[in-house]
Amino acid sequence: MPSVEGEEDGEVAFERYTSPFELQTRQSSGPLRTLKRVLIPNRGEIALRIIRACHEEGLEAVAVYSAADRGSAHVRAADRAIAIGPAAPSQSYLSIERLIAAARESGADAVHPGYGFLAERASFAEAVQAAELIWVGPPAPAIRAMGDKTEARRRMRDAGVPVVPGGGAPVTDQREAFALAEEIGYPVIVKAVSGGGGKGMRVVRDASGLAAALDTAASEALKAFGDAGIYLEKFIARPRHVEIQILADEERTLHLGERECSIQRRHQKLVEEAPSLALSVDLREWMGSAAVSAAQAVGYRGAGTCEFLLTDDNSFYFLEMNTRIQVEHPVTELVYGVDLVREQLRIAAGEPMRVHPGWLNPRGWALECRITSEDPANGFLPSTGRIEYLRVPAGPGVRWDSGIEIGDEVTLYYDSLLAKLIVWAPDRAQAITRMTQALDELVVVGVATNQAFHRRLMTDPEFRKGEIDIQFLERRPDLLTPSDSPARVLDLAVAAALAEDHARQARRPAAVEAGSASEWARQARREGLR
Ligand code: MV4
């Protein structure tokens, strides 16, 4: 046995290895006392994600399902599942009454809404709490304050968070709007007070276009949000979309760095990454503390995200706060080593979060590709059908968050997100290589997907250099449409089938002997199956 310098043989003290994570969580692990059973009024990949987190926290999970989701993976993964109505969301996943009834019936003591559906409806948070259930989300007043975009702007400005120059209140008459636009300078952007996600926005280049933009934006806002309120901001050209992840418990409000979400098409994010190439350590701390101030200004608790526009000269402006867990949360989880959904559950249960600020440094690089049932060859229209075959990528640093399985029917009732393919690697170049490989492993048969778009993007030199902003895909329509003609794709498919047949012939035994084997086995050998 080799001796250790400075110590006598036999005197080496062996200490059990303690991971940094255990050190930071030692005082606060164990089952959640105030929580036992969580109802998840959602479906698909996020329902499964929350069910897994519940089980890891020692909690029971109650799923709900519409008629279209009776056979879905989330229904089987939960400890109990409750039917809530027909496929149409308005009569199932959006029905506050049915969801509260399901919570009561199942004896749940908490509700985790996920994202989409009712996750950011302050009145749903209130209904949950009125039923004496724990809401796994921020306080209803924080949801409400951030949902009203002009109120959010005023509160942020008062808290010292940089907002885009513009109006602090909704536009009430045209003369006032013209004066404000002159003051902030063209181009300006007209936005809906109850908007978000880009609906009802209008960019105005000069005074000649303002009156018409105010009219169309107001009527679009009324149609989409039931509120015609609009306001003005200076239009920021070609910024990056960078958002900061927040976690807050009763004691502390922390940020977990940024996600770069500039790769989007028509306000739908397609690829997200963490960290962002555009942020230095200093800029991360500036944006991080702005986001912490934003959260504190509305009494935020739980997980939330502050969206910013970041310009070339490193100016950043608060846009809005998303008061929910987001689709792209996994990239933050992978670079910060924090399970955000488990922390949401702990915070809701009144426990301190298991996050030590001293450990909050990004490590390596994470990328997420949203695999959607949208057909790039058909203008990105949603495609439907049965998942006939599915081969899921795997390997080191590869994560597949999905609710779909072979046999599932993809319909038009719900959004088109089939899965999130997420990779981690030590640096951005290796993460892109790993993502390319994972995309090559992925096979989805039965519905058209945007998989080929992701593969083109990952091999694009401009993307690999990180030269991206929110207009990237507008400048690169070549990435959105298949480069191969349908005839070429058919040629490739025929070639692949011939190669496969050739390989099978080579594997087939030269002669099929009779006698010993059963007729099944002999037939299988003739077919080259074994
Ligand atoms: C902007 C902007 C430029 N200037 N505001 C779009 C969604 C909503 N959250 C706010 N949005 C924008 N607001 C000013 N003053 C550009 C956008 C925008 C955008 C923002 C983030 C991600 C993608 C985007 C795509 C188009 C426009």
Side-chain angles (χ1 to χ4, degrees), residues 506-530:
R507 283 199 300 272
R508 185 181 295 196
V512 176
E513 79 277 27
S516 59
S518 71
E519 186 52 36
W520 289 110
R522 267 179 272 124
Q523 183 58 31
R525 268 175 220 155
R526 268 181 234 118
E527 300 278 336
L529 294 174
R530 51 201 216 100

Side-chain angles (χ1 to χ4, degrees), residues 457-507:
L457 180 68
M458 291 301 134
T459 51
D460 180 69
E462 227 187 326
F463 175 76
R464 294 185 81 109
K465 273 188 254 167
E467 288 166 1
I468 53 175
D469 59 68
I470 62 174
Q471 269 126 50
F472 180 78
L473 290 181
E474 276 168 54
R475 293 195 300 276
R476 297 296 307 278
D478 58 305
L479 290 170
L480 293 173
T481 44
S483 49
D484 286 337
S485 68
R488 168 83 179 142
V489 172
L490 187 59
D491 285 352
L492 290 171
V494 169
L498 287 171
E500 176 60 23
D501 188 56
H502 183 78
R504 198 170 263 192
Q505 295 286 348
R507 283 199 300 272

Side-chain angles (χ1 to χ4, degrees), residues 149 153 164-165 187-189 191 195-199 201 203 231-242 261-269 307-309 317 319-320 322 469-471 474:
K149 305 303 165 186
R153 278 173 59 81
V164 190
V188 298
I189 184 166
K191 294 186 175 181
K199 245 189 231 151
M201 294 187 339
V203 178
Y231 67 104
L232 287 184
E233 277 180 8
K234 170 115 192 124
F235 176 67
I236 310 292
R238 286 183 63 162
R240 289 177 183 252
H241 178 194
V242 173
C261 308
S262 296
I263 303 295
Q264 55 84 40
R265 182 185 169 272
R266 299 192 179 167
H267 305 296
Q268 191 201 24
K269 294 169 184 165
E307 289 186 5
F308 292 94
L309 295 179
Y317 306 97
L319 267 189
E320 50 195 77
N322 301 314
D469 59 68
I470 62 174
Q471 269 126 50
E474 276 168 54

Side-chain angles (χ1 to χ4, degrees), residues 220-276:
E220 268 185 42
L222 182 62
K223 230 171 74 191
F225 313 109
D227 169 12
I230 49 169
Y231 67 104
L232 287 184
E233 277 180 8
K234 170 115 192 124
F235 176 67
I236 310 292
R238 286 183 63 162
R240 289 177 183 252
H241 178 194
V242 173
E243 58 188 30
I244 302 283
Q245 178 67 51
I246 290 293
L247 266 185
D249 63 16
E250 291 305 309
E251 297 282 314
R252 302 178 297 164
T253 303
L254 304 175
H255 75 83
L256 285 81
E258 77 281 10
R259 294 184 287 262
E260 159 89 58
C261 308
S262 296
I263 303 295
Q264 55 84 40
R265 182 185 169 272
R266 299 192 179 167
H267 305 296
Q268 191 201 24
K269 294 169 184 165
L270 290 167
V271 175
E272 302 96 344
E273 57 184 296
S276 165

